[in-house]
């Protein structure tokens, strides 16, 4: 296991979610000393029944927690602004979450959304994530949105926009909603949600240094 993965686990199982809920007060001690982690722990993650339409308050709380969790990478050797989380649409229970690991895994497809979808499908032993919602700190690129569509996800909720991300590096600037329009598969796309909190991941000084390195390595 890499040091950066010890600092911020790449995934969280449903069992971990239930353990976190039952030991909410105790679990925060595991993250003390890190302001971002404390912010994430402060957001209630108890299961709840969502309305058939988007629950704005719940979406915002989820996105803030995801941004805070992703922000922990900014103090590691592999900072990334991209984090994703999959939750059960009806209950809000977390199934899986992961960060971007393109550099660590030497895999251009290891975007946060794709990694989370892969791990979630492996957990369920199914190629379908129907009944689940994907939260992501940045609007999915065409690759990631296509993966969400093929997985039959109910919803995709994003923070920063693809245009925001393009300010700091190369992007394929096709809106996620455009992918849905051109597909015969259905998926609700909501965003931006908590855009400022997610955009702050991109402007962090450590992340800015990494962006310069990334951009210098690209053709």
């Amino acid at each position: 296991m890499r040091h950066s993965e010890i600092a911020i686990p790449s995934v969280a199982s449903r069992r971990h979610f239930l353990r976190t809920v039952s030991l909410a007060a105790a679990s925060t001690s595991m993250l003390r000393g890190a302001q971002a982690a404390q912010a994430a722990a402060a957001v209630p993650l108890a299961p709840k029944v969502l309305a058939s339409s988007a629950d704005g308050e719940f979406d915002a709380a989820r996105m803030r927690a995801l941004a805070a969790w992703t922000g922990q990478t900014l103090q590691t050797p592999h900072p990334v602004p991209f984090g994703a989380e999959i939750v059960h649409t009806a209950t809000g229970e977390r199934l899986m979450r992961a960060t971007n690991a393109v550099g660590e895994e030497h895999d251009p497809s290891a975007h946060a959304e794709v990694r989370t979808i892969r791990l979630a499908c492996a957990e369920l032993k199914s190629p379908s994530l129907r009944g689940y919602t994907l939260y992501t700190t940045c609007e999915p690129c065409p690759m990631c949105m296509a993966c969400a569509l093929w997985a039959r996800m109910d919803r995709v909720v994003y923070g920063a926009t693809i245009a925001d991300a393009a300010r700091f590096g190369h992007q394929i600037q096709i809106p996620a909603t455009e992918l849905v329009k051109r597909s015969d598969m259905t998926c609700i796309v909501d965003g931006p949600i908590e855009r400022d909190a997610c955009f702050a991941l991109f402007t962090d000084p450590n992340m800015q240094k990494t962006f310069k390195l990334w951009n210098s390595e690209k053709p």
Side-chain angles (χ1 to χ4, degrees), residues 195-216:
R195 182 178 182 179
D196 289 346
C198 293
F199 187 70
L201 298 171
F202 290 82
T203 58
D204 178 88
N206 288 340
M207 193 65 247
Q208 286 292 300
K209 293 177 183 178
T210 302
F211 278 135
K212 290 180 180 179
L213 177 61
W214 288 354
N215 291 330
S216 68

Side-chain angles (χ1 to χ4, degrees), residues 128-143:
S128 174
L129 291 174
R130 184 176 281 110
Y132 287 88
T133 293
L134 174 70
Y135 290 86
T136 174
T137 57
C138 185
E139 183 177 3
C141 73
M143 176 182 70

